Amino acid sequence: MKINRRRRLIKTFNLLDQPIKFNPFVFSRTFFMWAFTGLVGGAIAGGYWIVLECFTEFLAEFQGWMVIPTMAVCGLLAGLVIHFIGDPGEIHLIVNNIRFNKGKLDPKNNPSMILSSLFCVASGGSLGPEAPLVQVTGSTGTWLGKIFRLKGEELRSLSIAGMASGFTALFGAPLGGSLFSLEILHHKHAVEYYRAIIPALVASCFSYVMFALIIHLGIGATWDLKAYHYSGVYDFIYAFLFGVVATIFGWIFIFVVKFFKKVFEYRQFPIYVKTLTGGIILGVIAYNFPITRYFGHHEVNQLINGNFTLNFLIVILIFKIIAIAVTVTSGWRGGFIIPLFFVGTTLGLIIHQLFPAVDTTLAIVSCMAAINACVTRTPMSTTIILGTLTGFTYFVPILFASLTGYFLAPKIPFIGSQSEKLSEE
């Protein structure tokens, strides 16, 4: 008995003699690394958002016919930044680097991305700040990973965690933002990089807190949709049907983008000539239809609260799709997720005009979900993000619409680097 007691005492003292290695909790030093990445990402996103709002307010003073030269000049300046400082790439490059470049995002492209996207987004381009934020916060994650001497999957996970902090800051949805950063990396396998799930969640939560402190963000829906009242199992069928309609327009959007891509690539002009041309086209559209200007963060509420005619909504739908396509293909920098939500809102209102008995909120949210899932291949995160942005707490109808858009999407993904064929080569 005495020998057993001595052995127990020795084991106890050996355990107490190594306090640094002993941790009774699940989290370890990696937790603080993920949290720090989220805090840095939230601070970057908050600073970017403040500068973007100030610049947007300044450029918004140019109204009427002045919007055309304003957007043309901003397009030219954005092109000159890309030409002289360097091409920061687009969401295609971000996905490609995460998947095929060992998860490394190069921070050297950040100055060009920040400056060019500020000109593009603030002047009224139909692209949002999500792509610039994700590039900057994701590359910051890579940079921190190198400081912490991470390699392999750990470095990739920290880069994805940085991306998640950027998505979360924009959408205000930590769970949706972290899932989006994982889903958008592959068009079929949502959790291909499953090791990054917890890092992304931790970074997203801390990013959300930091971003909320900087810009005084409140908790609640961003868009003022009417309260939805479940009316029966037929609502799921309606969500599916609305999803089919929205998916058709997702296909139309993809083909329109491909058409304008061929137009802008027909001749090899310098990037600043393309961005200038794109700015003139966007300025003409914004002059005739002011609600199509900007990426739609505030304009969605104008659509919802406005009393627009059916003909006007159809025209807005057509020219908003054209505006997004021109913005994407002419070299302007930004993301197309929230602009697609604007298209979904317009389409939902058109459906309600044609069939007044249809629940407006259900039509709008279903169209938003399906068109975004069709283009980005992110059904899970789209469902959660829309639930947060719209206050639509019934996730199942949104999920029906999201899955409809996902499974009826083109076989070849819109974001080419999502394709698994590249990973097999």
Side-chain angles (χ1 to χ4, degrees), residues 92-93 95-97 99-101 185-187 192-193 412-413 415-425:
H92 302 264
L93 181 62
V95 175
N96 184 74
N97 286 340
R99 297 191 62 204
F100 310 117
N101 191 30
L185 297 177
H186 201 285
H187 75 298
E192 180 179 7
Y193 304 109
I412 300 174
I415 301 174
S417 47
Q418 287 179 329
S419 177
E420 61 185 350
K421 289 183 179 179
L422 292 173
S423 61
E424 294 172 356
E425 296 177 356

Side-chain angles (χ1 to χ4, degrees), residues 44-60:
I44 292 172
Y48 179 90
W49 188 264
I50 290 174
V51 174
L52 177 63
E53 284 197 326
C54 293
F55 197 25
T56 302
E57 288 179 5
F58 170 74
L59 293 177

Side-chain angles (χ1 to χ4, degrees), residues 337-416:
I337 297 166
I338 293 183
L340 286 176
F341 288 157
F342 180 95
V343 173
T345 303
T346 310
L347 187 57
L349 291 171
I350 291 172
I351 292 174
H352 177 69
Q353 291 263 11
L354 294 172
F355 307 99
V358 166
D359 186 282
T360 313
T361 300
L362 180 62
I364 289 174
V365 174
S366 297
C367 290
M368 281 179 160
I371 193 170
N372 188 67
C374 173
V375 176
T376 64
R377 310 296 180 92
T378 56
M380 292 190 299
S381 52
T382 294
T383 301
I384 297 170
I385 289 170
L386 279 177
T388 304
L389 292 175
T390 63
F392 196 99
T393 55
Y394 298 88
F395 280 177
V396 181
I398 310 179
L399 185 58
F400 267 66
S402 294
L403 290 174
T404 300
Y406 176 76
F407 284 111
L408 296 181
K411 190 172 184 179
I412 300 174
F414 177 72
I415 301 174

Side-chain angles (χ1 to χ4, degrees), residues 76-88 112 116 269-273:
L76 175 62
L77 292 174
L80 290 173
V81 167
I82 296 170
H83 179 75
F84 288 106
I85 300 180
D87 190 350
S112 176
S116 60
F269 291 108
I271 183 67
Y272 51 84
V273 174

Side-chain angles (χ1 to χ4, degrees), residues 149-161:
R149 298 180 180 178
L150 301 182
K151 295 181 180 179
E153 286 302 317
E154 288 187 336
L155 179 60
R156 192 198 308 271
S157 295
L158 201 64
S159 298
I160 294 174

Side-chain angles (χ1 to χ4, degrees), residues 328-340:
V328 169
T329 56
S330 63
W332 284 47
R333 292 296 182 260
F336 46 78
I337 297 166
I338 293 183
L340 286 176

